[in-house]
């Protein structure tokens, strides 16, 4: 039994270079991808994924291009556009508060008897400016500002491991996509 486990471990170590050489990228043809190939001076080239054959990535970008997968350092798949309402609201809140505070300080002599100009400006001007800034910022971030979303595809998708079994050890392989 012990010799069988040692033989399995030896076979796994011998077979692992062959398993690592397999193509493990699962992207549907026609998807928009972005690649980086430093050896060729290519940084974030966008194109349409066609295929992956014999370790060569085939991409359509004005023409049909082929890159050895071993030279690709980064591969990303386009996932659509994303808005940023919360970021816009936060920036608008801070900007609106600061602007409202400064405008109220410049315009106000005093809100009521015994109140300082700064404290009155902080409460009234800052509050009004913060509310207006938050609304405007949320609109700008949610409707007007959109960015592309890209998900990175792992290029080292094969992992080997030993798995205990009742009669010894077995080889387990996992593939990341």
């Amino acid at each position: 039994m012990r010799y069988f486990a040692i033989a399995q471990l030896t076979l796994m170590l011998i077979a692992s270079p062959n398993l690592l050489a397999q193509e493990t990228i699962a992207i549907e043809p026609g998807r928009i991808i972005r690649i980086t190939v430093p050896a060729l001076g290519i940084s974030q080239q966008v194109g349409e994924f066609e295929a992956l054959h014999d370790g060569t990535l085939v991409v359509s970008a004005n023409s049909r291009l082929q890159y050895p997968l071993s030279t690709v350092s980064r591969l990303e798949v386009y996932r659509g556009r994303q808005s940023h309402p919360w970021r816009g609201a936060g920036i608008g809140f801070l900007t609106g508060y600061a602007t409202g505070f400064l405008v109220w300080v410049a315009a106000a002599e005093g809100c009521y008897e015994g109140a300082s100009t700064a404290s009155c400006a902080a409460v009234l001007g800052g509050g009004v400016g913060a509310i207006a800034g938050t609304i405007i910022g949320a609109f700008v971030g949610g409707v007007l500002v959109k960015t592309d979303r890209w998900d990175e595809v792992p290029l080292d998708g094969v992992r080997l491991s030993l798995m205990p079994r009742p009669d010894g050890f077995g080889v387990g392989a996992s593939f990341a996509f």
Side-chain angles (χ1 to χ4, degrees):
M1 193 66 85
R2 171 186 257 172
Y3 295 111
F4 183 70
I6 292 173
Q8 282 183 330
L9 177 62
T10 305
L11 286 173
M12 182 190 77
L13 292 174
I14 292 170
S16 63
N18 295 332
L19 286 173
L20 291 173
Q22 292 181 359
E23 298 172 357
T24 59
I25 298 173
I27 302 172
E28 304 86 29
R31 296 293 306 260
I32 302 299
I33 62 171
R34 182 167 68 181
I35 61 171
T36 301
V37 187
L40 300 176
I42 297 171
S43 177
Q44 298 187 341
Q45 178 176 353
V46 176
E48 184 177 315
F49 176 77
E50 284 190 19
L52 180 63
H53 296 295
D54 299 324
T56 302
L57 183 65
V58 182
V59 180
S60 291
N62 296 334
S63 64
R64 191 168 193 227
L65 305 169
Q66 297 182 355
Y67 302 102
L69 191 58
S70 60
T71 62
V72 176
S73 66
R74 187 175 181 98
L75 174 63
E76 299 166 292
V77 177
Y78 179 70
R79 297 289 185 201
R81 303 211 21 105
Q82 176 180 2
S83 62
H84 303 280
W86 291 109
R87 182 181 294 169
I91 293 170
F93 174 84
L94 295 174
T95 305
Y97 185 87
T99 303
F101 176 82
L102 294 174
V103 167
W104 202 276
V105 165
E109 292 278 331
C111 295
Y112 55 90
E113 191 69 33
S116 71
T117 303
S119 65
C120 187
V123 173
L124 295 176
V128 170
I131 291 169
T134 301
I135 293 169
I136 293 168
F139 174 76
V140 169
V143 177
L144 302 179
V145 177
K146 296 191 187 276
T147 56
D148 292 336
R149 286 186 6 208
W150 295 91
D151 288 342
E152 188 170 0
V153 176
L155 295 173
D156 59 343
V158 178
R159 291 187 176 80
L160 295 175
S161 60
L162 281 177
M163 298 181 350
R165 294 178 17 170
D167 59 343
F169 288 97
V171 178
S174 63
F175 302 91
F177 299 101

